[in-house]
Amino acid sequence: MGKRPTFIVDANLEYRGEFGRHFISIAEEGLGKNDAWLLVMAGGIEAEGRPARYNPLRPPTHIESAIAMLKFYYNAAPNPMKVALLLEELGLPYEPVPVDTRKGEQFSAEYLKVNPNAKVPAIVDGDVRVFDSNAILLYLADRQKRFVPLEANSAARGDLLSWLMLIASGVGPFSGQSVHFRNTAPEPKEYALNRYDFEAHRHWKIIEDHLATSHYMLGKDYSIVDMAFWGWARLLPYVLGTGEATWNTYPQIKRLLDEINARPAVARTELLKMRHAFKTELDDEAKRFMFPQNERLKKK
């Protein structure tokens, strides 16, 4: 599960370690399943391995993570990057595990146990496995009770689910198909490109109109919906094939994109892409892994 990091805990209940500087939650009696991986111990860990009750009068001490670190399976595509942004916004330590889809690593037997759909991203959080980027956003936000309305039957929760699912089922898929048919699909492709380009524009116009009257996707509060939006919006000129002229049509999307890009968590997220040299060539091997459906055409 990767090495366990050691942190220094100070009187302000912060930890500073190789994963940055973050506030932590302190459980009074012990470590629950969904607590924040660390518990400040009075005098360290007892011989039996049980955590002692926190005593603020005792000096801080070096301690180790009490449970396995979250594993994040990713590449540099829009869907994994929006999950990476949430992880950085939350300040959660995680072990990034690159999955190079152009080398076919998503089809390995080991990875299929994590995500039988052979897509990235996915996470393993202790004994919990979650795949699909939007499911991961919702899981982590609910787990940490941040960037998400928590009351199940509230209007705010209804808005969250509605806009998140619009991005999950509409914005993301149609944007992805627009890219595919514009840049990689064989001819003839006029009908398919017209359909997916039209639907991509239609979905982004819904977002644009919404943002004309709403600062963030959920009003005044920055949320996981904005992070889901960011994953695709930062590539919109490429998605639509319209270059910088894109922002003349979608100024509200550009406004929100610029605001999110200015957040420190985005800078940390962008650094994640530099930690692994993913294959960039779309050669025959990559096409075979990225577009396995084309093998059916060869049999006709």
Side-chain angles (χ1 to χ4, degrees):
M1 299 298 291
K3 67 178 182 179
R4 289 180 169 181
T6 299
F7 300 103
I8 302 172
V9 180
D10 65 24
N12 293 319
L13 304 185
E14 298 177 353
Y15 69 77
R16 292 189 294 274
E18 61 183 293
F19 299 100
R21 190 165 186 250
H22 310 280
F23 288 93
I24 62 175
S25 300
I26 303 303
E28 178 77 10
E29 297 291 343
L31 186 68
K33 179 180 178 182
N34 292 320
D35 287 328
W37 350 278
L38 298 175
L39 189 64
V40 174
M41 310 298 182
I45 300 177
E46 295 179 352
E48 297 87 352
R50 293 173 299 167
R53 187 181 288 228
Y54 171 61
N55 182 348
L57 300 180
R58 294 291 297 272
T61 181
H62 286 71
I63 59 176
E64 287 190 340
S65 174
I67 59 175
M69 190 183 303
L70 181 150
K71 280 191 172 184
F72 171 46
Y73 297 83
Y74 79 104
N75 64 13
N79 288 328
M81 286 298 99
K82 62 193 185 190
V83 172
L85 176 56
L86 176 58
L87 287 167
E88 293 295 340
E89 291 281 13
L90 291 170
L92 287 175
Y94 60 92
E95 178 187 351
V97 182
V99 179
D100 201 325
T101 54
R102 294 193 178 192
K103 294 181 179 178
E105 292 175 356
Q106 69 273 34
F107 298 114
S108 70
E110 180 182 2
Y111 186 66
L112 288 174
K113 293 177 183 177
V114 177
N115 185 357
N117 195 31
K119 305 286 185 181
V120 287
I123 63 168
V124 174
D125 182 23
D127 60 356
V128 178
R129 172 194 68 175
V130 189
F131 55 86
D132 186 271
S133 60
N134 297 283
I136 298 170
L137 291 178
L138 195 56
Y139 167 80
L140 289 174
D142 281 345
R143 175 189 186 273
Q144 298 303 117
K145 297 180 172 56
R146 293 182 62 195
F147 302 117
V148 62
L150 296 173
E151 188 177 348
N153 62 343
S154 66
R157 186 75 175 191
D159 282 346
L160 165 84
L161 294 173
S162 297
W163 287 111
L164 186 63
M165 292 307 111
L166 178 78
I167 293 173
S169 64
V171 168
F174 284 112
S175 293
Q177 293 301 325
S178 176
V179 169
H180 174 74
F181 282 101
R182 178 173 287 105
N183 297 300
T184 58
E187 298 289 351
K189 60 184 182 181
E190 181 181 4
Y191 174 84
L193 177 57
N194 179 66
R195 168 173 167 74
Y196 288 112
D197 180 70
F198 177 87
E199 285 296 317
H201 274 284
R202 187 178 72 82
H203 281 82
W204 283 109
K205 183 63 164 56
I206 294 171
I207 302 295
E208 173 71 16
D209 291 346
H210 175 63
L211 289 175
T213 59
S214 183
H215 185 79
Y216 294 112
M217 288 298 297
L218 298 186
K220 63 182 179 62
D221 296 321
Y222 177 60
S223 73
I224 59 172
V225 183
D226 301 295
M227 300 176 209
F229 155 93
W230 173 84
W232 284 101
R234 65 201 180 96
L235 301 176
L236 197 56
Y238 177 69
V239 165
L240 300 177
T242 47
E244 286 303 306
T246 304
W247 307 127
N248 298 329
T249 305
Y250 299 106
Q252 295 300 327
I253 289 174
K254 183 63 161 56
R255 169 190 62 76
L256 181 55
L257 177 63
D258 287 346
E259 182 172 334
I260 297 173
N261 278 338
R263 298 180 66 89
V266 169
R268 296 193 297 271
T269 301
E270 295 293 348
L271 288 174
L272 176 64
K273 296 189 299 184
M274 301 171 60
R275 295 184 61 171
H276 182 80
F278 289 102
K279 181 176 179 178
T280 58
E281 299 83 12
L282 193 60
D283 55 18
D284 289 341
E285 178 193 49
K287 289 178 180 178
R288 186 169 69 254
F289 291 128
M290 297 292 290
F291 315 122
Q293 70 277 5
N294 292 345
E295 296 300 309
R296 299 168 64 187
L297 299 175
K298 297 177 181 179
K299 299 176 181 179
K300 293 184 179 181

